[in-house]
Amino acid sequence: MSGQIIGLDHIGVAVKDPKERMKIWADLLGLPLEKVETVESEGVRTWFLDMGGSWLELLEPLNDESAVAKSIEKRGEGMHHICFEVDNLEKMLAKLAARGINPLGGGARKGAGGAMVAFLHPKDSGGVLVELSEHGPEECCHDHSVDLEDDEDFDEDPFRPGTVAVLYLANPKERIFGVVRQLDLAGIGIEGIDLESWNDWVQQWARGAEGPIVPSVQFFPMGRVEKLLADVDTEEVPSFTRQFEERTGRSLAEAFGIDIEEEDE
Ligand code: CMX
């Protein structure tokens, strides 16, 4: 832990109407919407689209007082900030302070996903608002999904054969969207596609069913499973199932060639 940048975390883009902007980022350019989170303290709702290893974060102001609303008023919509992940924010800020650079707004605070974040004044970074972020142990909330371990939306047995879900794997990291086929202490069997191929697969179905990408049945031992999230649809955030059906005009059951269990209401 030495206080250094370890990767690009996200690019923040200020938007007035995220659903309108989704037509570009999700529908046209194919970035899947993965999570939506309100950061009350900043007066923003953040919409995270997956860029494969980093995020595009759409920043929607929730009131006129929010910094993002003021930024849109002053600079218009568009590129807002670039965020780097750091291994140790405190040490990074100490290093910068030793060079006479202090973060904006009084230092580190809680950002999206429970991460500790700090912003650098654009005058210190060549005109770019830079965010530095150290991830906490908490996961960012997934408004359209249900966490297996924090499952208030389902009374019992949320996952069973036929449930549509996203399986998160560790070592190496992978995400599979599909239909749960088997779930026991040994592991999870899922018929699905790697989310890396999601957009190509949807486009293939939008053109017609035939194509090279086909869901495959795979079994993953529990040791590789990070989490399993049900593909739940909310009014605000479309599930992958809804995104598939809206973009292709076909049903997901048709794509999997099977009956898929209806989610419990
Ligand atoms: N691009 C370029 N310059 C910008 C800028 C932007 N997007 N936003 C602010 N600035 C400039 C301002 O014009 C100002 O410049 P001057 O000092 O020359 O006038 C300077 O940066 C400081 O801005 P400020 O608004 O006066 O400073 P505050 O301390 O009030 O605010 C800031 C700090 C910029 C971090 C805050 O206004 C902000 O933008 N917050 C948004 C935070 C956010 O994105 N939250 C989402 C969740 C966090 C997460 O991603 O995890």
Side-chain angles (χ1 to χ4, degrees), residues 10 42 57 59 67 74-75 80-81 109 112 119 121-122 131:
H10 65 259
E42 304 269 8
E57 180 193 46
L59 297 158
K74 198 168 164 186
R75 283 170 281 270
H80 184 269
H81 66 264
R109 55 192 195 242
F119 286 85
H121 196 295
E131 180 182 2

Side-chain angles (χ1 to χ4, degrees), residues 9-10 12 14 37 39 41-46 48 57 59 66-68 70-72 74-75 78-81 83 103-106 109-123 127-133:
D9 189 86
H10 65 259
E37 182 185 358
V39 184
S41 55
E42 304 269 8
V44 288
R45 187 177 292 131
T46 54
F48 284 90
E57 180 193 46
L59 297 158
S66 95
V68 174
K70 289 180 182 158
S71 183
I72 290 176
K74 198 168 164 186
R75 283 170 281 270
M79 182 66 201
H80 184 269
H81 66 264
C83 176
L104 279 165
R109 55 192 195 242
K110 250 191 176 172
M116 287 309 290
V117 304
F119 286 85
L120 302 184
H121 196 295
K123 77 171 163 34
V128 181
L129 181 62
V130 169
E131 180 182 2
L132 302 170
S133 165

Side-chain angles (χ1 to χ4, degrees), residues 43-131:
V44 288
R45 187 177 292 131
T46 54
W47 300 64
F48 284 90
L49 296 129
D50 189 352
M51 298 200 293
S54 59
W55 304 95
L56 186 76
E57 180 193 46
L58 302 186
L59 297 158
E60 173 197 7
L62 294 177
N63 54 61
D64 294 345
E65 296 314 305
S66 95
V68 174
K70 289 180 182 158
S71 183
I72 290 176
E73 204 182 309
K74 198 168 164 186
R75 283 170 281 270
E77 287 184 276
M79 182 66 201
H80 184 269
H81 66 264
I82 181 162
C83 176
F84 297 106
E85 186 181 355
V86 297
D87 59 358
N88 185 321
L89 185 59
E90 207 183 315
K91 284 193 178 158
M92 184 72 167
L93 293 180
K95 274 187 185 178
L96 291 168
R99 308 276 297 269
I101 295 171
N102 292 305
L104 279 165
R109 55 192 195 242
K110 250 191 176 172
M116 287 309 290
V117 304
F119 286 85
L120 302 184
H121 196 295
K123 77 171 163 34
D124 293 322
S125 42
V128 181
L129 181 62
V130 169
E131 180 182 2

Side-chain angles (χ1 to χ4, degrees), residues 43 65 67 76 108 123 146-148 150 154 159 164 167 176 265:
E65 296 314 305
K123 77 171 163 34
V146 176
D147 198 318
L148 191 56
D150 183 22
F154 291 93
F159 297 98
V164 180
L167 176 61
I176 313 281
E265 286 299 316

